[in-house]
């Protein structure tokens, strides 16, 4: 009798783990489309308007979602951390990537963005007061050096403005992710992003209206599709799947799925944008991902 119960329990555990990894993979695939979609959007839309518009649209959708599920409001002590989440995820990351993608390709940006899990881990160490092993810093430095070397090689010996924006975006997003992870213990995963978007609405909504294009006649369908994608999928729906996967399967296990995100972005950059993705780019991206994976394992 007990063996039968154990078998049923084990079967349920395996099924739950599978669902967790499926949710995590869906979230990663959604996030992988963010850079190509942003690249499409900035063809016809100003980066500042794009940043504010995607935040405002996602904020309105998040408000409806929070009301539908009757989520409790954050406490006053959470407002400072939510402000940091908004700084990194709502404003910093979208604006920096939008500015960068006016001058560099989505495939090029993917290599730098591959260091995002590393930046998140670094902020988690700093904010959490942890003392990682020396191997963590070794692999962290290796991953950063690979990204800098890639940028210098492609920039003719110097860093371009696009690379500088990407680095700043990775730093700000890492801060936002780390603060969001701390808050998720009390507020829930997707709720953190939703509240950060909602609390930003008094600024993003009127600012987006003021910066709207004087005429929409020159804004093509691809740019509008890119705006819709980054507004609803990149900033909200992706987080629902991603955080649900982390909650079901554990951060340490399901979190490793994020290492597949750069390769998804490269595939989409080639298929959707027709950007060249050569073997050198793939190998560099793989090396960065390998260094990031090693750093996370030794943290």
């Amino acid at each position: 009798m007990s063996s039968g119960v154990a078998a049923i329990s084990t079967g349920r555990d395996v099924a739950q783990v599978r669902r967790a990894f499926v949710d995590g993979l869906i979230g990663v695939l959604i996030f992988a489309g963010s850079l190509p979609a942003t690249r499409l959007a900035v063809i016809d839309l100003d980066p500042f308007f794009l940043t504010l518009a995607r935040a405002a649209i996602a904020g309105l959708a998040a408000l409806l979602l929070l009301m539908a599920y009757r989520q409790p409001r954050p406490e006053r002590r959470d407002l400072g951390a939510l402000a940091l989440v908004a700084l990194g995820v709502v404003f910093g990351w979208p604006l920096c990537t939008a500015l960068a993608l006016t001058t560099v390709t989505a495939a090029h940006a993917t290599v730098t963005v591959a260091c995002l899990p590393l930046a998140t881990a670094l902020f988690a160490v700093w904010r959490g007061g942890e003392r990682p092993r020396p191997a963590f810093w070794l692999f962290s430095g290796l991953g950063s050096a690979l990204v800098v070397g890639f940028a210098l090689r492609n920039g003719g010996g110097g860093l371009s403005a696009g690379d500088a924006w990407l680095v700043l975006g990775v730093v700000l997003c890492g801060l936002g992710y780390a603060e969001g992870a701390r808050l998720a213990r009390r507020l829930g995963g997707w709720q953190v992003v939703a509240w950060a978007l909602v609390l930003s609405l008094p600024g993003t909504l009127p600012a987006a209206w003021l910066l709207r294009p004087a005429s929409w006649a020159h804004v093509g369908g691809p740019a509008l599709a890119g705006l819709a994608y980054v507004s609803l999928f990149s900033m909200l729906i992706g987080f629902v799947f991603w955080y649900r996967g982390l909650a079901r399967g554990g951060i340490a296990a399901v979190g490793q799925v994020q290492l597949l995100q750069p390769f998804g972005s490269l595939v989409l950059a080639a298929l959707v944008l027709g950007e060249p993705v050569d073997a050198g780019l793939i190998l560099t991206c793989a090396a960065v991902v390998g260094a990031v994976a090693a750093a996370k394992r030794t943290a």
Side-chain angles (χ1 to χ4, degrees):
M1 182 70 175
S2 59
S3 60
V5 173
I8 294 175
S9 177
T10 301
R12 289 176 177 173
D13 291 342
V14 171
Q16 180 173 333
V17 169
R18 287 177 178 173
R19 288 196 297 269
F21 274 94
V22 169
D23 283 334
L25 183 59
I26 292 174
V28 163
L29 291 176
I30 289 174
F31 293 146
S34 298
L35 290 178
T38 301
R39 177 72 171 167
L40 283 176
V42 296
I43 294 174
D44 296 328
L45 295 173
D46 176 74
F48 290 93
F49 168 75
L50 173 64
T51 299
L52 294 166
R54 66 185 280 182
I57 294 170
L60 293 174
L63 180 60
L64 295 176
L65 197 60
L66 290 168
M67 292 174 61
Y69 285 94
R70 299 181 180 180
Q71 296 299 305
R73 295 180 180 179
E75 300 178 9
R76 181 172 296 181
R77 60 174 176 162
D78 298 327
L79 296 181
L82 282 171
L84 289 178
V85 174
L87 172 65
V89 178
V90 178
F91 297 104
W93 167 253
L95 179 59
C96 288
T97 52
L99 289 170
L101 288 169
T102 60
T103 59
V104 301
T105 65
H108 176 99
T110 297
V111 176
T112 303
V113 174
C115 269
L116 181 54
L118 180 58
T120 305
L122 289 171
F123 276 109
V125 167
W126 174 46
R127 298 288 292 173
E130 300 176 5
R131 295 181 180 273
R133 289 177 287 178
F136 170 79
W137 300 110
L138 174 64
F139 287 117
S140 299
L142 176 61
S144 302
L146 287 169
V147 169
V148 172
F150 169 80
L152 291 174
R153 181 174 67 85
N154 284 267
L159 292 177
S160 67
D163 289 315
W165 282 119
L166 287 171
V167 171
L168 179 58
V170 166
V171 171
L172 291 174
C173 192
L175 173 62
Y177 277 177
E179 286 298 314
R182 294 175 65 228
L183 271 182
R185 300 169 186 171
R186 291 199 304 274
L187 300 182
W190 66 268
Q191 292 90 334
V192 171
V193 180
W195 281 117
L197 287 165
V198 168
L199 292 175
S200 302
L201 272 177
T204 58
L205 199 57
W209 177 259
L210 290 174
L211 292 179
R212 71 191 188 278
S215 172
W216 291 89
H218 71 283
V219 181
L224 293 176
L227 171 60
Y229 188 94
V230 296
S231 300
L232 297 177
F233 288 90
S234 300
M235 298 200 73
L236 191 59
I237 297 175
F239 282 101
V240 174
F241 285 100
W242 177 241
Y243 281 123
R244 187 169 66 184
L246 294 178
R248 283 178 170 177
I251 296 175
V254 180
Q256 298 301 315
V257 179
Q258 191 178 22
L259 297 174
L260 298 175
Q261 182 175 330
F263 301 105
S265 296
L266 288 178
V267 171
L268 290 173
L271 294 178
V272 177
L273 301 174
E275 295 180 355
V277 179
D278 56 25
L281 184 61
I282 296 174
L283 289 175
T284 302
C285 190
V288 174
V289 169
V292 171
K296 291 181 68 176
R297 286 182 177 275
T298 58

